[in-house]
Amino acid sequence: MKPTILAWEGHLAQNRRRSVHTVRAYVATAHRLVEFLSGHWGAAVTGERLTALTAAELRAFLAARRADGLGNASAARELSAVRAFLDFAVGAGTTPRLTGPRVKKGVPRPISPDEAVALAEDVADSAAEPWVAARDWAVLMLLYGAGLRIGEALALTGAILPLGATLSVTGKRQKTRIVPLLPQVRAGIEHYAALCPWPIARDTPLFRGAKGGVLDAALIRRAVQAARVRLGLGDRTTPHALRHSFATHLLGRGADLRALQELLGHASLSSTQIYTAVDAAHLMDVYRNAHPRA
């Protein structure tokens, strides 16, 4: 099945435009499925054998994965990857369908505007050099001020300079959207660009690591983790929480759900609707804290 898995990997990356992380995870699932079936059947796995795959055999694979400690959410993603691979390998509609485990959608945990700014300031204050401080501030302000995913921010190139009132962002599946730039965010990026010791050409990364390469997202995550400990913020205060906060605060100020969908780059409105639950949760917190009978 190696040629089939290799072809599927190319299909995911080129035709489906899946992210690098998604491609890696889906391909790993395909290898796990083939390895399991090979042991289960005691024979090599072929396309012909896969067409005869039963629901019971799929359940056995998922049971083995659950025995490895997979939770409901991970098991649901594993089943989704298996379905996609089998549809590619033997044809859509020919594989058995199973009902995946129920996954309770978690409500994002936003932080307040003051906490978002304090977090970015603390990360910047802890940087070893002024240009690194300016870089980290600019990245975190893009997440909170423009709602970017961290991967989207780090994928920006020098082509965005000079900055205008809006920014063109390429998100998941290579979809492009336009987001407005707050003056504070624009000033942060321009300050970083002025201090950066590396030349920023149109075709080079905007945000650089210490040696001039592409900035690793893990560095930002670790800096945020250290800052949240110093500030006493919750464990869910991550770079992505800044994007959640961007969405929640806009919705709380009356932003239209469709407009928010465009700003976040969500393919489906259902992905954006989760923020209505966030806003409702905030209203309930205010009610409980303020009402004398609550």
Side-chain angles (χ1 to χ4, degrees):
M1 295 301 295
K2 286 184 179 179
T4 302
I5 295 176
L6 189 62
W8 188 52
E9 182 177 6
H11 170 72
L12 289 172
Q14 297 165 19
N15 300 337
R16 301 291 295 168
R17 295 183 177 180
R18 299 292 188 179
S19 71
V20 174
H21 301 295
T22 299
V23 172
R24 186 185 302 120
Y26 274 35
V27 167
T29 294
H31 281 295
R32 283 193 292 266
L33 176 67
V34 169
E35 183 180 356
F36 171 82
L37 291 176
S38 178
H40 188 72
W41 290 336
V45 178
T46 64
E48 184 178 357
R49 289 297 302 269
L50 282 181
T51 59
L53 187 68
T54 66
E57 289 165 337
L58 267 185
R59 279 194 290 269
F61 168 71
L62 291 174
R65 294 291 293 133
R66 292 300 288 265
D68 292 335
L70 259 65
N72 280 359
S74 296
R77 286 193 295 269
E78 191 87 345
L79 179 57
S80 176
V82 166
R83 286 170 176 162
F85 171 65
L86 291 175
D87 284 348
F88 177 83
V90 300
T94 62
T95 56
R97 294 292 164 178
L98 297 181
T99 300
R102 284 193 170 189
V103 181
K104 183 180 180 181
K105 285 191 176 182
V107 177
R109 299 289 181 86
I111 60 178
S112 71
D114 289 342
E115 288 172 335
V117 173
L119 183 72
E121 286 178 342
D122 191 273
V123 169
D125 289 343
S126 302
E129 299 180 52
W131 78 270
V132 174
R135 177 199 69 190
D136 293 352
W137 170 268
V139 170
L140 295 180
M141 283 297 98
L142 272 170
L143 307 189
Y144 177 64
L148 269 63
R149 302 175 178 92
I150 189 167
E152 293 170 344
L154 300 189
L156 294 174
T157 68
I160 71 166
L161 301 175
L163 295 170
T166 61
L167 181 67
S168 176
V169 180
T170 301
K172 289 185 176 181
R173 303 189 187 183
Q174 298 302 303
K175 290 185 177 179
T176 302
R177 68 185 188 276
I178 302 297
V179 297
L181 278 182
L182 294 171
Q184 300 93 322
V185 178
R186 188 162 60 246
I189 297 174
E190 290 171 344
H191 180 56
Y192 156 72
L195 294 181
C196 181
W198 312 99
I200 304 177
R202 289 185 58 83
D203 59 347
T204 60
L206 175 64
F207 295 112
R208 305 296 189 87
K211 296 183 179 179
V214 181
L215 176 61
D216 189 348
L219 294 176
I220 299 296
R221 293 191 181 99
R222 285 198 293 268
V224 168
Q225 182 180 14
R228 79 180 182 220
V229 172
R230 290 190 293 267
L231 295 174
L233 300 176
D235 291 343
R236 292 196 180 185
T237 304
T238 63
H240 203 65
L242 294 174
R243 174 174 156 89
H244 288 321
S245 302
F246 164 84
T248 306
H249 298 161
L250 281 181
L251 191 63
R253 293 294 185 92
D256 175 77
L257 202 59
R258 285 288 184 185
L260 188 58
Q261 177 189 1
E262 291 296 323
L263 288 173
L264 292 171
H266 285 161
S268 170
L269 186 61
S270 63
S271 300
T272 314
Q273 285 174 331
I274 190 172
Y275 293 103
T276 60
V278 174
D279 196 49
H282 172 68
L283 290 176
M284 288 303 297
D285 287 341
V286 171
Y287 169 79
R288 292 191 188 101
N289 292 330
H291 197 284
R293 298 288 185 179

